């Protein structure tokens, strides 16, 4: 993932319409932008643009889509997109699942194969969270998809690659969601009571007692 | 449920069969799983049901209008608001403006319960960008949530902080986030580290103080926190690896434990322990071990182990392997590991999986500099990749080939690149590749024909997207030529011929840039081709001018070409027609050019002088001194007008007039008055613009007037290169513009003979037949035994188009080595030196490329040498001070301007003096350094002496002939440096140096750009048995250019206030009594400062940096300290002087 200003996002795919055609597969894009450090989830194929930045964004989405779509399945999953993102350092890494493309834009500080597997982790996580995910899940629950992605990647950085951990976090939050949803009708003091309770302990059996990391010169800083 | 969804679902199973991934995306849930009742659901469904873009737009606008009403209604509940936000996100995602909702998103994040807050935060992070002003409103919410007892709220706040946060508000949340590093929950610690990383990226200064906390995070007991901190370390080590070398051991330990499977099984991915963590660590190690044998030593073991462990045949292990290989090749090499890494690369390259092949090629490209044999091993694979259907693979292969290009395989490789270029449609790829081809072609071109053809292909395929440097460089190469005049002409002739052939095709469309190149070359060099009637070329250009696809910029180029051609032909029908046609063109620019052409055609002589043949490289001198006004000025002077005095001189005079009694002898004169006075110095004039005919003729006027002016004592000091040397043969010089300037250094050195490449040409024609053969041509010269260096970058042996060096720097160094090599051999008596062929070096100093546009005028003025006199002062006026070995400091003792200029006395630049090295009489009286030897050969010895005249530093170089025969034409050249300016010309020619005699050359030097110390180097070349060149360098320090500046206290005060750059410093005084005046005296003597006034314990001093940068010093003593306060218009000067002050005070 490109670090710094690049912010990958996930977009809930819709069935695309490009030139009125229905045959094109949907695209799920993690996209990034340099100059504005600003990105929104987008799908392609929409051009009613009001602001400059939006125009740039939509342009990127469109071009990315065309670039990825052109490529058949038997060629490599890396795409040097050149000037598209304003620098030759950037690469598109994509994976194609049925009608969906998952596209990550990364800079040279990421390992290509590593990202390829990160997409796999992300998709597997989606699968676990939605219990057999289908593209419609992604469309209708795009907010949830975003929340899951935020557990994997934050601010352009890979935060967590441990699938169980991601799922545990997401589940804990949806449990909360259900609890709140149920309570929302209840008297307000009950709501506030719930709000102030701590999140239940997330099972996480990775207390690594035996990992022993020595950092020299630490004392002089402390 | 719309039928669209059903249709989508029905397609899915068929698609699912195509891929073999563990996870399929199945529409298992069906419509029931989708919240069909939600507003979002219905919105999506209605959108997918639409058939046109227009309808979608209408629907979304409708939706947005209703959303706007809903969100701004005061009765809207937060719950409803949350739903609205999701819909807004969806609309925004489709590219529709929904900025009215941004503020509501922030409100929702602020007020909502957990669920609503979460959507609010999500909407904020998706809607806003880093510099959005609304973001400031979020800060309070974030601060509140960070302090919350609810973990989820803290998590959300940290997440949003690490995504977007206004830089200026970091201090508000920084302490809170720092606290979170000690939080009991791993997830919080992890996100806090992430947020700090974000801060580090956007404002590194603000998190400087918590670097030790990063270290703590690195040894966190949770591996996730540790992994998060690696991001920070990777970034910091990338910026400066040296500061973190001490952590190498820790990173190695961590990697060892990870590789050894000490992490919980949870971290395994496809039974590989924490692969992403390993990748990260390997990258960090690579950065740390780069060029550092000691640090690299630490990591050899763990790298070996990583390589060994990564055996399982899975994607992610390859990712680790790839990182390992890259790290191994980055750090200080260890042969054992390199061997293993090379094997790994083999695995990648030979893999049938296309992704791995891609990475294999990338790795090969990376390692090719260190291990060329690896490319040889895999040559067949590389050949296959060249024809791979995937353009990405192809491009990567070409990148690899680009790196291994040498003089022997360039034809094949460039051909391959051109093939790709022709297929390629992406602008980025074209620009990139065209640049590479042009670079390779220029560097390794085997012959003219191939070079021109290749460049033609680049221009015609690359079109107008190619980088503007490519045509510019190409034209410059043609214009400047190489070291061999004959080769040059052949290349030019071939270029002209090829363009004529191209233009023969009537309908061909060429890119504008290509047309511009063609027109320039045709204009400049068409006359070299004798068998083509210029009329034919003119007709072609004329027809191009009428084409509609030709842009107006190109038309100007074409017009310029026509004008140049017209200057070589007597009269041409086409030109007349063209003039007529464009004289009433609607394009004003074209019309002007037509008129200019018309006028030029009427005055052929002017045209010839304006457009000389093959003079594009000659410098066009801009006559900034307006010498064409000399006549006018002389007239004025003749009528009794006062001569012009520069500002500071007038001021000086005014000041001295104000004085009632001048007790200080010679106080009147101002040091730099002579040298820089405007009227006295006139340089050879040059035409500025085409329209100004007067400037073209003013050369003559200028010369004539010079004579009259000279009689009046007005001296001509300035020339093209600064001060003009005195030349007796003035008239003769006018006709030979370049003879004076360039030393003979270039003449002797010719370019290497072109390498015969006929066999390669043959192989090119057959390349498609046999891949094996292709391989042999591609990888020729690659093996370790080959003499050609692999990268070819340093390899100049095969380089055909070697550019001429600007000031023959490289040449002279070559010559020096030549000389040194032969120094041991016996130098016989000198032959009569052969006159050096001056034609060879014509135009080689000045490398400015003449623009084709007429506006920038092709007038090249004579580099005329005028009779000048040196700015040396006679000693007549100051006999009293004549102390032949006066020390530097004593000279400047007192506030006296010692020497008066005497315009009537001319100092011969090269006066013959006896073998004893002594300065000419008139210089003896000046402060000067000892005569020091510069360099020696068997024939010549060079000595030099610095003479500190009051307006410059006069370098006197003695050239002593040690042999028994005379040397003819000895050239002395000072190299250009950015700091120093050699007045007059930087070259000097001794026509003859007799046996056993000494000649001397004097050059005034100014400091052009401030420096405390610099080196002025130069060389002397002469003809003994061979062309020999002696190099020397002279160290000049700031103090050489500091002169006292006499002024009154009042004037000091005025000047002080007007200066802006000041530097203050306290220096400890030595303990001696009355140290203040002692200190001032030291400054006066050692630094040549002028003491303006002393009042009590305060003193003011002034000096100037030649030519005329003043520096004022105010000093004051208090309690054993000397407070120095400098002011000067030059920012660096006070610092430099302060340093010198400190030095001399310490010494004293």
């Amino acid at each position: 993932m490109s670090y710094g200003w690049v912010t990958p996002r996930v977009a809930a795919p819709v069935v695309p319409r490009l030139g009125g055609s229905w045959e094109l597969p949907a695209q799920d894009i993690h996209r990034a932008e340099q100059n504005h450090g600003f990105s929104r989830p987008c799908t392609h194929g929409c051009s009613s643009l009001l602001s400059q930045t939006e125009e740039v964004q939509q342009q990127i989405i469109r071009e990315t889509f065309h670039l990825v779509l052109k490529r058949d399945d038997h060629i490599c999953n890396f795409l040097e997109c050149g000037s598209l993102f304003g620098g030759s350092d950037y690469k598109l890494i994509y994976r194609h699942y049925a009608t969906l493309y998952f596209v990550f834009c990364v800079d040279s500080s990421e390992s290509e194969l590593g990202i390829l597997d990160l997409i796999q982790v992300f998709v597997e996580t989606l699968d676990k969270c939605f219990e057999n995910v289908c593209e419609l899940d992604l469309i209708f629950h795009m907010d949830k998809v975003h929340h899951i992605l935020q557990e994997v990647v934050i601010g352009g950085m890979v935060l967590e690659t441990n699938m169980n951990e991601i799922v545990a976090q997401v589940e804990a939050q949806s449990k909360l969601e259900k609890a709140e949803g149920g309570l929302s009708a209840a008297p307000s003091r009950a709501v506030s009571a719930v709000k102030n309770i701590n999140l239940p302990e997330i099972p996480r059996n990775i207390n690594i007692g035996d990992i022993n990391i020595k950092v020299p010169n630490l004392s002089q800083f402390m | 449920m719309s039928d669209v969804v059903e249709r989508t679902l029905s397609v899915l199973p068929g698609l699912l069969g195509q891929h073999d991934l563990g996870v399929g995306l199945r529409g298992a849930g069906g419509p029931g799983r989708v919240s069909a009742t939600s507003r979002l659901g219905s919105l999506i469904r209605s959108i997918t049901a639409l058939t046109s873009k227009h309808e979608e737009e209408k629907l979304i606008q409708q939706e947005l209008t209703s959303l706007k009403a809903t969100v701004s209604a005061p009765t809207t509940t937060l719950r409803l608001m949350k739903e609205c936000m999701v819909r807004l996100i969806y609309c925004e995602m489709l590219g529709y403006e929904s900025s009215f909702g941004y503020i509501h998103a922030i409100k929702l994040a602020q007020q909502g319960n957990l669920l609503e807050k979460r959507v609010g935060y999500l909407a904020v992070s998706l809607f806003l960008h880093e510099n959005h002003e609304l973001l400031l409103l979020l800060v309070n919410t974030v601060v509140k949530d960070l302090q919350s007892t609810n973990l989820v709220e803290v998590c959300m706040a940290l997440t949003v902080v690490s995504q977007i946060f206004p830089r200026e508000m970091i201090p508000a949340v920084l302490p809170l986030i720092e606290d979170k590093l000690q939080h009991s929950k791993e997830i919080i610690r992890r996100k806090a580290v992430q947020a700090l990383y974000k801060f580090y990226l956007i404002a590194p200064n603000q998190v400087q103080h918590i670097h030790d906390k990063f270290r703590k995070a690195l040894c966190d007991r949770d591996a996730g926190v540790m992994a998060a901190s690696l991001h920070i370390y990777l970034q910091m080590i990338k910026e400066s690896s040296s500061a973190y070398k001490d952590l190498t051991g820790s990173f190695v330990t961590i990697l060892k434990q990870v590789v050894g499977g000490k992490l919980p099984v949870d971290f395994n991915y496809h039974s590989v322990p924490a692969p992403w963590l390993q990748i990260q660590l390997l990258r960090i190690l690579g950065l740390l071990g780069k060029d550092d044998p000691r640090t690299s030593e630490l990591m050899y073991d763990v790298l070996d182990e990583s390589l060994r462990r990564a055996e399982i045949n899975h994607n992610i292990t390859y990712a680790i392997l790839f990182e390992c290989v890259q790290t191994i090749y980055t750090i200080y090499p260890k042969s054992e590991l390199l061997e293993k890494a090379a094997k790994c690369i083999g695995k990648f390259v030979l893999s049938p999986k296309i992704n791995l092949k891609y990475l294999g090629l990338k790795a090969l490209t990376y390692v090719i500099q260190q291990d060329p044999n690896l490319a040889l091993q895999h040559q067949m694979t590389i050949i296959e990749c060249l024809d791979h259907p995937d353009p990405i693979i192809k491009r990567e292969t070409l990148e690899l080939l680009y790196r291994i290009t040498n003089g022997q395989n360039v034809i094949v490789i460039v051909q391959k690149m051109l093939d790709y270029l022709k297929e390629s449609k992406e602008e980025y790829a074209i620009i990139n590749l065209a640049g590479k081809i042009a670079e390779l072609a220029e560097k390794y071109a085997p012959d003219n024909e191939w070079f021109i053809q290749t460049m033609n292909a680049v221009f015609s395929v690359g079109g107008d997207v190619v980088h503007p440097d490519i045509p510019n460089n190409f034209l410059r190469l043609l214009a400047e030529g190489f070291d061999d005049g004959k080769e040059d002409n052949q290349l030019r002739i071939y270029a002209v011929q090829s363009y004529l052939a191209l233009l023969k095709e009537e309908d061909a469309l060429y890119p504008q840039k290509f047309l511009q190149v063609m027109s320039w070359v045709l204009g400049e060099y068409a006359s070299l081709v004798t068998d083509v009637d210029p009329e034919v070329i003119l007709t072609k250009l004329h027809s191009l001018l009428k084409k509609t696809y030709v842009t107006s910029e190109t038309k100007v180029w074409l017009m310029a070409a026509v004008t140049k051609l017209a200057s070589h032909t007597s009269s041409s029908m086409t030109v007349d027609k063209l003039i007529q046609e464009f004289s009433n063109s609607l394009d004003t620019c074209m019309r002007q050019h037509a008129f200019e052409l018309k006028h030029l055609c009427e005055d052929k002589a002017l045209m010839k002088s304006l457009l000389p043949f093959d003079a594009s490289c000659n410098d066009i001198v801009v006559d900034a001194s307006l010498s064409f006004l000399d006549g006018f000025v002389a007239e004025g002077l003749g009528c009794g007008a006062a001569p012009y005095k520069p500002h500071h001189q007038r001021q000086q005079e005014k000041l001295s007039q104000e004085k009632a009694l001048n007790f200080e002898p010679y106080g009147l004169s101002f040091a730099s008055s002579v040298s820089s006075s405007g009227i006295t110095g006139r340089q050879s004039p040059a035409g500025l613009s085409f329209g100004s005919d007067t400037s073209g003729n003013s050369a003559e006027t200028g010369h004539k007037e010079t004579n009259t002016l000279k009689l009046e004592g007005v001296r001509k000091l300035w020339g093209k290169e600064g001060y003009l040397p005195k030349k007796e043969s003035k008239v003769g010089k006018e006709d030979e513009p370049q003879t004076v300037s360039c030393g003979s250094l270039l003449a002797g050195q010719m370019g290497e003979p072109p390498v015969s490449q006929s066999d390669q040409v043959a192989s090119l024609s057959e390349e498609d037949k046999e891949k094996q053969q292709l391989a042999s041509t591609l990888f020729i010269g690659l093996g370790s035994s080959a003499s050609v260096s692999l990268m070819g970058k340093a390899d100049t042996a095969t380089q055909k188009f070697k550019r001429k060096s600007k000031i023959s720097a490289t040449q002279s160094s070559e010559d020096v080595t030549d000389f040194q090599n032969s120094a041991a051999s016996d130098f016989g008596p000198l032959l009569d030196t052969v006159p050096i062929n001056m034609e060879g070096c014509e135009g080689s100093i000045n490398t400015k490329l003449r623009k084709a546009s007429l506006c920038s005028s092709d007038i090249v003025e004579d580099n005329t040498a005028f009779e000048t006199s040196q700015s040396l002062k006679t000693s007549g006026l100051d006999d009293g001070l004549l102390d032949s070995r006066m020390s530097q400091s004593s000279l400047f003792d007192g506030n006296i301007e010692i020497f008066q200029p005497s315009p009537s006395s001319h100092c011969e630049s090269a006066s013959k003096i006896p073998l004893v090295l002594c300065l000419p009489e008139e210089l003896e009286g000046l402060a000067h350094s000892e005569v020091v030897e510069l360099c020696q050969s068997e024939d010549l010895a060079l000595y030099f002496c610095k003479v500190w005249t009051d307006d410059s530093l006069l370098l006197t170089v003695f050239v002593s002939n040690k042999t028994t025969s005379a040397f003819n034409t000895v050239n002395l050249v000072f190299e250009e440096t950015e700091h120093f300016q050699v007045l007059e010309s930087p070259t000097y020619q001794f026509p003859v140096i007799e046996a056993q005699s000494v000649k001397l050359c004097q050059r005034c030097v100014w400091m052009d750009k401030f420096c405390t110390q610099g080196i002025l180097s130069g060389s002397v070349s002469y003809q003994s048995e061979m062309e020999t060149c002696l190099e020397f360098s002279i160290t000049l320090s700031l103090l050489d250019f500091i002169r006292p500046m006499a002024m009154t206290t009042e004037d000091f005060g005025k000047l002080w206030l007007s200066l802006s750059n000041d530097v203050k410093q306290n220096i400890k005084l030595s303990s001696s009594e009355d140290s203040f005046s002692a200190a001032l005296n030291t400054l006066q003597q050692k630094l040549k400062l002028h003491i303006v006034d002393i009042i009590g314990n305060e003193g003011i001093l002034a000096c100037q940096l030649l030519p005329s940068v003043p520096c004022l010093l105010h000093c004051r003593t208090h309690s054993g300290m000397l407070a120095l306060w400098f002011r000067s218009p030059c920012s660096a000067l006070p610092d430099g002087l302060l340093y010198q002050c400190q030095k001399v005070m310490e010494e004293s």
Side-chain angles (χ1 to χ4, degrees), chain B residues 555-573:
Chain B
K555 277 186 183 160
V556 175
W557 285 76
L558 286 164
M559 200 69 184
V562 169
T563 314
K564 280 182 223 163
L565 284 172
S567 73
H568 300 303
T569 53
S570 47
S571 69
S572 153
M573 282 294 292

Side-chain angles (χ1 to χ4, degrees), chain A residues 119-174:
Chain A
I119 298 176
Q120 176 72 14
V121 168
F122 179 54
V123 174
E124 282 182 37
T125 311
L126 285 178
D127 192 55
K128 278 191 183 164
C129 292
F130 284 102
E131 291 155 25
N132 286 333
V133 69
C134 78
E135 65 179 3
L136 295 175
D137 289 324
L138 305 185
I139 301 170
F140 288 104
H141 297 285
M142 57 169 182
D143 51 336
K144 199 174 172 191
V145 175
H146 274 293
H147 291 308
I148 295 170
L149 184 67
Q150 277 184 357
E151 294 301 319
V152 183
V153 177
I154 286 192
M157 308 288 304
V158 183
L159 182 68
E160 182 61 77
T161 49
N162 182 346
M163 214 183 308
N164 298 337
E165 171 77 10
I166 302 166
V167 174
Q169 288 292 342
V170 172
E171 271 172 5
Q173 287 182 24
S174 39

Side-chain angles (χ1 to χ4, degrees), chain B residues 936-941 943 960-964 967 996-997:
Chain B
Q936 283 228 40
S937 73
E938 305 213 340
D939 314 311
L940 287 185
Y943 305 90
S960 136
N961 184 352
K962 300 197 290 186
T963 60
T964 50
F967 287 109
Q996 298 292 330
S997 73

